[in-house]
Amino acid sequence: LADEIARRGRLDYKSTLKLASEMAGALDCIHRLGICHRDLKPHNILRSETGQFKLADFGLGKGEEFETITRAGELIGTLRYLPPEGLEGEPLDQTADLFQLGLVLYEAVCGARPYRGSNAVEILRSYSKDTPPNPSACCPDVPQPFDNFVWNLVQMKRKDRYADVQVVLGDLARLERGGNVRRRQPTIRPPASTAAMSAVKVSMAVKIPPPKPRQGLPPRVLAAMGLIVLMVLVLIRPGRLRPGPV
């Protein structure tokens, strides 16, 4: 596929849709066996004499563990096609294959990769800052629902991508019928200031009981204090205290 893209510049929409369908079918087969390919890229996709696309090179395929780091601490897979979690050294699951499929489809139909970078840091920066143009904006033969389909594959957070290949195949069937595909909305955490303001509003909504009125001294205490004052007055009456001898 890489040679074909380099020779032709890009694939037409019909061929790209065929590529998407056959790659999704291949991923469905290996995912059912508990295998994650982890290195889906144009160089690992072959085309037969009959025009079928074939997924090849399972050298990095992994079972249930889906490890990402080798013993030497190197990232597994081709950096340019690794999802963000792979570049950060996290374990890969089956949604990593779907992310890579989205990158491949974008490159196939547009003739260029959506994100750039020569190392992990640059690619992660591109993931977080760059906003690639929609395939339909680059190629007039691409319908807008295909844009949504590709961006659903390459969501940066794995929980925002397609849950599994079965959902991908369902949307592909809609595209083949000329139907619409809804774009999945990424999960956005509210900023801290908004959360703080919400907490303030909640606290203001809680009714605070009025303070209890201060109670006076007990009657016994008042009586004792009055008796002490009376005794002092009696002792200091004029004539009761005489000066001593000089």
Side-chain angles (χ1 to χ4, degrees):
L1 178 61
D3 294 337
E4 186 171 354
I5 295 174
R7 185 177 65 254
R8 298 174 52 185
R10 59 174 289 262
L11 300 185
D12 58 73
Y13 174 66
K14 184 177 180 180
S15 298
T16 303
L17 208 58
K18 175 181 175 63
L19 169 66
S21 179
E22 292 179 351
M23 287 300 99
L27 291 178
D28 185 37
C29 291
I30 66 173
H31 288 180
R32 288 176 183 271
L33 298 175
I35 298 174
C36 179
H37 190 281
R38 305 194 297 175
D39 198 23
L40 202 160
K41 59 183 179 181
H43 290 82
N44 289 339
I45 298 176
L46 308 178
R47 197 164 193 181
S48 68
E49 295 180 354
T50 58
Q52 289 183 312
F53 293 99
K54 302 290 185 179
L55 182 59
D57 194 355
F58 285 81
L60 295 180
K62 201 71 177 178
E64 295 179 355
E65 294 180 355
F66 298 151
E67 295 176 352
T68 307
I69 307 299
T70 65
R71 290 189 300 270
E74 297 178 354
L75 289 170
I76 286 182
T78 305
L79 288 178
R80 294 191 299 270
Y81 297 94
L82 275 178
E85 64 269 19
L87 292 173
E88 294 172 350
E90 298 179 8
L92 298 180
D93 59 15
Q94 296 174 349
T95 63
D97 286 344
L98 303 182
F99 183 91
Q100 292 178 335
L101 175 60
L103 295 184
V104 168
L105 295 177
Y106 187 101
E107 184 175 354
V109 77
C110 295
R113 290 184 290 111
Y115 302 101
R116 303 299 180 89
S118 58
N119 56 57
V121 174
E122 292 178 358
I123 297 171
L124 281 172
R125 185 182 298 115
S126 180
Y127 283 163
S128 62
K129 294 186 176 181
D130 293 347
T131 304
N134 289 324
S136 62
C138 303
C139 312
D141 62 328
V142 176
Q144 189 272 333
F146 185 78
D147 298 339
N148 296 339
F149 176 71
V150 170
W151 298 133
N152 289 345
L153 289 167
V154 296
Q155 287 287 342
M156 295 299 138
K157 296 180 180 179
R158 66 179 82 194
K159 64 181 179 180
D160 294 331
R161 301 170 200 156
Y162 285 115
D164 53 51
V165 188
Q166 291 298 317
V167 186
V168 174
L169 290 170
D171 274 356
L172 274 173
R174 294 185 184 89
L175 290 174
E176 292 171 348
R177 296 192 302 266
N180 188 31
V181 171
R182 183 175 59 87
R183 184 164 181 173
R184 301 167 65 90
Q185 296 299 321
T187 303
I188 301 177
R189 180 177 297 178
S193 57
T194 303
M197 289 300 297
S198 300
V200 171
K201 291 180 180 179
V202 171
S203 64
M204 292 177 64
V206 178
K207 294 182 178 181
I208 302 177
K212 296 181 179 180
R214 295 182 61 183
Q215 298 180 353
L217 296 176
R220 293 183 180 180
V221 176
L222 292 175
M225 292 177 64
L227 181 61
I228 293 173
V229 172
L230 181 62
M231 293 176 63
V232 171
L233 292 176
V234 170
L235 291 175
I236 64 175
R237 282 188 309 170
R240 289 294 303 269
L241 297 177
R242 296 180 180 179
V246 178

